[in-house]
């Protein structure tokens, strides 16, 4: 028997789970559940990063974390992004309140690389991107769109895999495996922050039905309603305005900094049916629909001249008649995601298998804004606007084959080969005409467009497409018992910029049964998306020094104004990954893994330096400054992942402990503006995330009771705040957070779980550069800044 040591989850098992599968609940109870999980964990067969049958975590040529269902559901959050950030030290996510669309689709990073440099798969098939482009230009899938209750396990490959899967797999691959077994499960959960806000209500159900003895179909539905939080002080200028205008009732605070009001409904389906001995039809999909609202910066009547100044265009009108105490735009979104996959797979012989599939994915985001205005329209301005729609559509056709060629050695040569055709479409739909209008008041200094977030106008609207065709070969061979060799190559041709060839070599040596060494070298790439190549965004911000609202444009690299200020056509990012690791598994339940890695990324994609608009340039949108996407830097990321775990019977129960640590450092090797105009981007690459991250977990289960204690450590990091004329930086120290969880199984089918996250109600240092806006804690923090929260969960199995 081999014990799991390849990831931090190995020692956690399912002893913290409020609910297990119906089959397990019916057949096992108490400590037998965790014992069964411990026995099986090291022998989990993985499917990510390999196309060879029967490979386990211990056998893999590159590090893979396997997160079982119970561990995924051990977090208070149903947002998969937050769950992974708690479980994997090398995975980080920022909260980003009041950050336009990123308040609802939050960027997440693996090994400190960009959010879209990690490939996301569902059941081994590419998952579509979100329609949102982040502030720094990343366009990644929205992991929060996948219902956590539908997940059977998650496999995280921490290694470059472009040669196996194509674009985006520079940092690694996250493969989400949906539950496909009969059984019934349901839960209800409530949580609240210690501060008394952020009430969160969750419920969900999953039901699987056997289709005779030939297959099964599983349906999952999950609902979440989250109320807003606020960690805010009154803005100093709002307090001064109140003191000068005692007859007015100024809200306190005038704007809220915290998590948004949000509601999501998610669903999933997974089915398979054996048509014949050589053919199994399968289909699966996920769906999400939701909405949310968050605050923007307050507009002060005493100094927001672009709104409140007198205008000869409207001589008898002032916006004080509508907003006498100023106004705080309320930014809202409605979002919907859909992914459907169907296919046919089977074994034509003992040596040859196939998998033919087609998939379609779509992300749609609508934006709206209320309690605002278009100042340039004067009294004709609406106070709410529909701002427009972003849509991302992807279609994939895949043909995959595996042939086992007997050429000698311990096992046949495993030859995987196949092809893929991918079509990616991006569309921007216009908003209300008033949301992007430049009215008569603009000539006298009043701001055009919807105040807070200009609507998408005809200049931004359009439909953009990119097509790619690819073919690959992936080889694995065991020439002798202690040695495994792997090689892969992939050729891919893109309609937008040409072709790419990537390759990968892997090796593993197991000199003794309990110890193995592994290593890989690979090249990779990430192709610019149609959105990155063509889209344009106009945003508004508040200068924290002058407290003046400013317009900033992020233009497409082909925009004439961007070209005039230095923009060049985008190229694919390319990478070189090298890793070496040691994995040990002992018969006493103690094990460890150590993996070293280096990732060089050339032509790294980023947002250019903020460029003021020269007075001689035509500037109808009245930009204070612009930026554009560019291949700006060559970076090097070096790091180490260390995991130590131990499981043992103790006092009639089962104890487990695990410690996982990640060190990750990115440096800029060179770049067109690394040491000149774009020092901000250099510092963001190098300092914006902690270099040191760790998690530690202790668990014990005896009879009907299970206990878990977890600690999370985040090392020092640097915050950046955008201003009209540049950026401000602040360095934050390390932070440790602690969680506790208690589970009681009333019956084999009913469980109650209670717990707290951030037990000691720990807050980070305050964000001094943003205090003028009333914000207390940085919105860019890689951890929750709302303090401790408690929760209770009822789980049912049938």
């Amino acid at each position: 028997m081999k014990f799991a040591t390849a990831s931090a989850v190995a020692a956690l098992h399912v002893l913290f789970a409020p609910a297990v599968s119906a089959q397990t609940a019916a057949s096992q109870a108490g400590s037998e559940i965790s014992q069964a999980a411990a026995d099986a964990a090291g022998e989990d067969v993985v499917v990510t990063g390999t196309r060879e049958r029967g490979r386990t975590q211990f056998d893999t040529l590159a590090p893979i974390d396997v997160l079982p269902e119970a561990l995924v559901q051990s977090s208070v959050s149903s947002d998969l992004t937050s769950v992974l950030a708690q479980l994997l030290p090398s995975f980080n996510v920022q909260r980003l309140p009041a950050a336009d669309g990123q308040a609802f689709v939050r960027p997440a990073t693996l090994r400190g690389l960009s959010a879209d440099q990690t490939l996301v798969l569902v059941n081994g098939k590419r998952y579509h991107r979100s329609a949102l482009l982040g502030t720094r230009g990343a366009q990644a899938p929205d992991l929060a769109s996948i219902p956590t209750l539908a997940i059977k396990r998650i496999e995280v490959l921490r290694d470059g895999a472009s040669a196996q899967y194509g674009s985006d797999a520079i940092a690694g691959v996250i493969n989400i495996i949906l539950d496909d077994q009969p059984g019934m499960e349901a839960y209800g959960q409530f949580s609240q922050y210690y501060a008394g806000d952020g009430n969160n209500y969750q419920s969900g159900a999953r039901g699987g039905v056997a289709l005779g003895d030939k297959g099964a179909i599983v349906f999952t539905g999950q609902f979440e309603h989250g109320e807003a939080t606020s960690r805010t002080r009154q803005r100093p200028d709002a307090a001064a305005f109140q003191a000068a205008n005692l007859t007015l009732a100024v809200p306190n605070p005038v704007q809220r900094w915290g998590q948004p009001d949000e509601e999501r409904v998610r669903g999933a389906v997974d089915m398979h049916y054996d048509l014949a001995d050589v053919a199994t039809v399968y289909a699966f999909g996920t769906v999400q629909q939701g909405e949310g609202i968050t605050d923007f910066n307050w507009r002060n009547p005493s100094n927001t001249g672009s709104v409140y100044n007198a205008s000869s265009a409207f001589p008898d009108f002032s916006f004080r008649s509508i907003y006498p105490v100023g106004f705080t735009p309320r930014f809202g979104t409605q979002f919907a995601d859909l992914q459907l996959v169907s296919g046919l797979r089977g074994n034509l012989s003992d040596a040859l298998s196939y998998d033919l599939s087609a998939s379609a994915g779509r992300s749609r985001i609508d934006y709206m804004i209320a309690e605002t205005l278009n100042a340039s329209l004067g009294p004709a301005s609406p106070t709410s606007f529909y701002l427009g729609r972003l849509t991302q559509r992807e279609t994939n056709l895949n043909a995959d084959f595996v042939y086992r060629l007997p050429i000698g050695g311990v096992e046949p040569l495993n030859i995987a080969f196949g092809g893929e055709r991918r079509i990616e479409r991006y569309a921007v739909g216009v908003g209300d005409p008033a949301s992007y209008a430049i009215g008569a008041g603009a000539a006298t200094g009043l701001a055009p467009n919807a105040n807070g977030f200009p609507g998408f106008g005809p200049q931004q609207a359009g439909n953009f497409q990119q097509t790619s065709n690819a073919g690959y070969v992936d080889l694995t061979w065991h020439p002798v018992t202690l040695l495994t060799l792997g090689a892969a190559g992939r050729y891919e041709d893109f309609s937008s910029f040409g072709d790419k060839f990537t390759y990968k070599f892997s090796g593993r040596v197991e000199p003794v049964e309990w110890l193995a060494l592994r290593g890989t070298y690979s090249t990779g790439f990430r192709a610019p998306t149609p959105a990155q190549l063509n889209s344009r965004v106009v945003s508004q911000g508040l200068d924290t020094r002058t407290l003046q609202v400013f317009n900033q444009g992020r233009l497409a690299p082909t925009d004439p104004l961007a070209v005039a200020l230095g923009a060049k056509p985008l190229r694919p990012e390319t990478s070189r990954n090298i890793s070496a690791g040691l994995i040990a598994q002992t018969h006493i339940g103690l094990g460890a893994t150590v993996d070293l890695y280096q990732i060089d990324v050339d032509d790294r994609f980023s947002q250019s330096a903020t460029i003021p608009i020269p007075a001689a340039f035509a500037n109808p949108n009245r930009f204070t400054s612009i930026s554009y996407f560019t291949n700006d830097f060559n970076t090097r990321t070096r790091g180490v992942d260390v995991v130590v775990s131990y499981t043992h019977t103790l006092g009639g129960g089962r104890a487990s402990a695990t410690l996982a640590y990640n060190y990750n450092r990115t440096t800029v090797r060179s770049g067109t503006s690394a040491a000149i105009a774009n020092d901000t981007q250099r510092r963001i690459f190098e300092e914006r995330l902690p270099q040191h991250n760790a998690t530690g977990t202790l668990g014990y289960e005896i009879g009907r009771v299970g206990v878990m204690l977890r600690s999370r450590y985040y090392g020092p990091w640097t915050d950046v705040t955008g201003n009209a004329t540049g950026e401000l930086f602040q360095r934050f120290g390390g932070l440790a957070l602690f969680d506790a969880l208690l589970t009681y199984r009333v019956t084999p089918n009913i469980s109650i779980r209670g717990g707290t996250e951030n037990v000691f109600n720990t807050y980070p240092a305050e964000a001094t550069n943003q205090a003028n806006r009333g914000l207390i804690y940085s919105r860019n923090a890689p951890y929750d800044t709302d303090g401790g929260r408690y929760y209770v969960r009822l789980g049912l199995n049938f």
Side-chain angles (χ1 to χ4, degrees):
M1 179 180 69
K2 295 177 180 177
F3 292 85
T5 60
S7 70
V9 306
L12 300 181
H13 313 306
V14 298
L15 64 100
F16 320 123
V20 294
S21 69
Q23 299 97 318
T24 303
S27 61
Q28 298 181 0
S31 62
E32 294 179 359
I33 297 174
S34 59
Q35 175 65 58
D39 292 346
E43 298 294 344
D44 284 340
V45 174
V46 299
V47 297
T48 309
T50 179
R51 293 181 171 92
E52 189 179 16
R53 303 173 186 174
R55 188 156 300 279
T56 69
Q57 283 180 269
F58 183 72
D59 299 330
T60 56
L61 302 178
I64 295 180
D65 295 315
V66 178
L67 313 180
E69 169 195 351
L71 190 60
V72 172
Q73 294 185 37
S74 70
S75 172
V76 64
S77 177
S78 68
D79 180 339
L80 184 55
T81 307
S82 297
V83 173
L84 292 175
Q86 288 185 344
L87 300 178
L88 300 174
S90 57
F91 190 89
N92 281 278
V93 62
Q94 295 172 290
R95 301 298 299 180
L96 295 176
D100 299 349
Q102 290 186 117
F104 309 100
V105 181
R106 295 180 295 132
T109 66
L110 183 65
R111 287 184 164 176
L113 298 179
S114 297
D116 53 2
Q117 290 174 334
T118 298
L119 177 64
V120 175
L121 308 174
V122 174
N123 285 354
K125 308 299 181 181
R126 180 182 286 263
Y127 192 67
H128 67 274
R129 307 177 195 277
S130 168
L132 175 71
L133 270 73
T135 302
R136 303 298 169 187
Q139 187 184 8
D142 179 13
L143 290 171
S145 64
I146 299 172
T148 54
L149 189 63
I151 296 173
K152 181 178 182 179
R153 70 179 186 276
I154 301 174
E155 298 178 359
V156 181
L157 171 65
R158 291 180 277 114
D159 192 43
S162 291
Q164 297 163 294
Y165 296 105
S167 177
D168 304 349
I170 289 178
V173 178
I174 298 174
N175 189 9
I176 299 159
I177 311 297
L178 301 180
D179 194 295
D180 60 353
Q181 297 300 311
M184 304 290 288
E185 180 180 353
Y187 82 99
Q189 178 177 298
F190 170 78
S191 66
Q192 184 185 74
Y193 282 93
Y194 291 3
D197 59 2
N199 290 359
N200 183 277
Y201 305 86
Q202 296 180 33
S203 62
R206 182 180 70 205
V209 179
L211 302 176
D213 59 354
K214 293 183 177 294
I217 184 168
V218 182
F219 295 96
T220 303
Q222 198 165 1
F223 170 80
E224 180 179 12
H225 172 80
E227 298 177 2
T229 61
S230 180
R231 302 296 176 266
T232 315
R233 295 193 182 103
Q234 181 66 303
R235 284 175 43 160
D237 62 327
F241 180 80
Q242 177 69 89
N245 297 271
L246 297 178
T247 59
L248 299 177
V250 179
N252 186 6
V254 289
Q255 68 183 87
R256 180 184 56 79
W257 292 97
Q259 297 179 38
D261 285 297
E262 194 171 15
E263 191 168 279
R264 294 176 186 257
V265 178
R266 308 178 184 98
V269 62
D270 190 299
M271 69 82 63
H272 63 280
Y273 187 81
D274 298 333
L275 297 176
D277 291 340
V278 297
T280 298
V281 64
Y282 65 90
F284 59 88
T286 61
V287 63
Q288 173 191 236
Q289 188 165 331
E291 60 185 10
I293 189 167
T294 189
D295 285 11
F296 278 175
N297 289 299
W298 177 64
R299 273 58 174 168
N300 187 339
S302 66
N303 65 8
T304 310
S306 60
V307 172
Y308 287 99
N309 279 354
S311 170
S312 58
F314 317 110
D316 299 319
F317 174 78
S318 170
F319 278 107
R320 285 179 180 266
S321 63
I322 300 176
Y323 297 119
V325 297
F327 61 99
T328 301
R330 314 292 180 183
F331 180 74
T333 180
Q334 294 179 345
F335 45 87
D337 284 83
L338 177 66
Q339 176 99 356
L340 296 172
V341 181
S342 62
L344 189 71
R345 64 183 178 228
N347 297 318
L348 297 176
S349 68
D350 289 340
L352 180 63
S353 63
Y354 69 94
D355 185 345
L356 308 176
S357 65
S359 68
R362 186 206 67 196
S363 168
R364 187 182 67 208
I365 302 175
D366 291 278
Y367 291 133
M368 58 284 300
I369 196 166
E371 299 180 40
T372 187
L373 48 81
N374 181 334
S376 70
L377 297 178
S381 172
T383 57
S384 63
F385 304 85
Y386 172 69
L387 301 172
R389 170 178 291 180
L390 304 176
T391 306
Q392 172 81 9
R393 288 187 173 89
E394 297 178 29
T395 303
N396 291 271
L397 299 174
N398 292 85
D400 301 293
F401 303 89
V402 176
Y403 182 69
R404 292 170 62 83
L405 178 65
I407 62 170
V410 178
E411 294 183 10
L413 174 65
N414 197 84
I415 307 173
F417 59 97
E420 179 182 57
R421 176 174 174 83
R422 187 164 76 251
I423 302 173
E424 201 171 339
R425 301 178 178 90
Y426 189 75
V428 180
V430 298
D432 296 336
S435 71
Y436 56 82
I438 302 174
T444 64
L446 296 183
N449 311 315
N451 207 281
F453 192 101
F456 304 141
Q459 285 184 306
Q460 296 162 266
N463 291 273
F464 315 103
Q465 179 174 314
Q466 179 171 266
T467 302
S468 66
N469 297 287
Y472 73 88
V473 176
D474 191 349
L475 309 175
T476 307
W477 187 38
H478 303 262
V480 294
T481 302
L482 62 80
L483 179 64
T484 305
L485 300 173
R490 185 183 182 98
Y491 173 82
E492 195 153 357
D493 183 73
F494 286 80
S495 59
S496 298
F497 57 82
D499 57 359
K500 278 290 173 186
F501 176 76
T502 55
Y503 57 89
K504 182 173 185 175
F505 298 107
S506 308
R508 180 181 179 277
V509 178
E510 187 177 347
V512 295
E513 183 180 0
W514 57 272
L515 182 69
L517 295 91
R518 61 194 176 195
T520 68
Y521 176 81
S522 65
T523 61
F525 76 104
R526 192 197 65 79
T529 68
Q532 292 166 338
L533 290 166
N534 299 285
S535 68
R536 162 189 173 123
V537 172
V538 181
S539 61
Q540 290 184 348
L542 186 77
D543 190 298
T544 59
R545 288 171 172 165
T546 67
L547 295 181
Q548 296 298 303
V549 175
F550 61 89
N551 265 15
Q552 190 172 63
R554 198 271 297 142
L555 309 182
T558 55
D559 186 282
L561 179 56
V563 171
L565 293 173
K568 305 291 183 184
L570 289 178
R571 303 181 301 275
E573 298 172 314
T574 59
S575 67
R576 298 176 302 281
N577 293 50
I578 185 169
S579 68
L582 175 71
I583 179 169
Q585 291 183 324
T586 71
H587 66 281
I588 63 171
L590 175 65
T593 64
V594 179
D595 289 282
L596 306 172
Y597 59 88
Q598 177 176 292
I599 308 170
D600 288 341
V601 183
D602 294 339
D603 293 327
R604 188 159 176 181
F605 189 79
S606 72
Q607 194 165 324
S608 75
T610 301
I611 305 172
I613 306 299
F617 279 57
N619 190 9
N621 289 285
R622 297 180 62 191
F623 292 132
T624 304
S625 59
I626 67 124
S627 61
Y628 48 82
F629 293 147
T630 179
N631 298 100
D632 215 7
F633 294 104
N634 299 330
T635 65
R636 170 167 289 169
T637 299
R638 285 176 169 168
V640 58
D641 288 310
V642 180
V643 178
V644 179
S645 62
Y646 182 65
T647 60
H648 191 68
T649 57
L650 179 66
R654 188 163 190 86
S656 63
T658 199
L659 176 64
Y661 167 75
N662 171 255
Y663 169 76
N664 191 89
R665 182 184 180 188
T666 295
T667 56
V668 172
R669 295 181 291 126
S670 61
T672 57
S673 55
I676 310 173
N678 206 5
D679 188 63
T680 292
Q681 281 296 327
R682 179 192 62 80
R683 293 195 65 181
I684 288 172
F685 279 138
E686 294 184 348
E687 302 176 25
R688 70 185 176 93
L689 294 173
Q691 292 182 359
H692 302 272
N693 293 274
T695 62
T697 305
L698 295 174
Y700 185 68
E701 181 171 291
I702 182 169
R704 297 175 180 267
V705 179
V707 180
M708 183 194 79
L709 302 175
R710 178 169 58 202
S711 62
R712 295 173 277 140
Y713 174 75
Y714 305 86
W717 62 284
T718 298
D719 189 23
V720 59
T721 301
N723 264 12
T725 56
E727 283 77 21
L728 306 175
F729 294 91
Q730 181 180 353
R731 187 71 172 168
F732 288 90
L735 183 73
L737 303 175
F738 298 89
D739 309 327
L741 180 156
L742 174 67
T743 299
Y744 178 71
R745 293 186 178 86
V746 181
T747 72
N749 304 103
I750 301 175
S751 64
I752 298 175
R753 185 175 82 196
T756 60
E757 292 190 350
N758 190 358
V759 173
F760 301 111
N761 200 32
T762 302
Y763 286 92
E766 297 189 6
T768 56
N769 287 336
Q770 302 174 53
N772 279 353
R773 293 189 282 179
L775 183 146
I776 301 176
Y777 308 108
S778 172
R779 61 177 180 169
N780 300 314
Y783 37 69
D784 189 346
T785 59
D786 286 329
R789 61 174 163 175
Y790 62 87
Y791 67 101
V792 60
R793 177 177 176 130
L794 175 66
L796 306 173
N797 292 278
F798 308 96

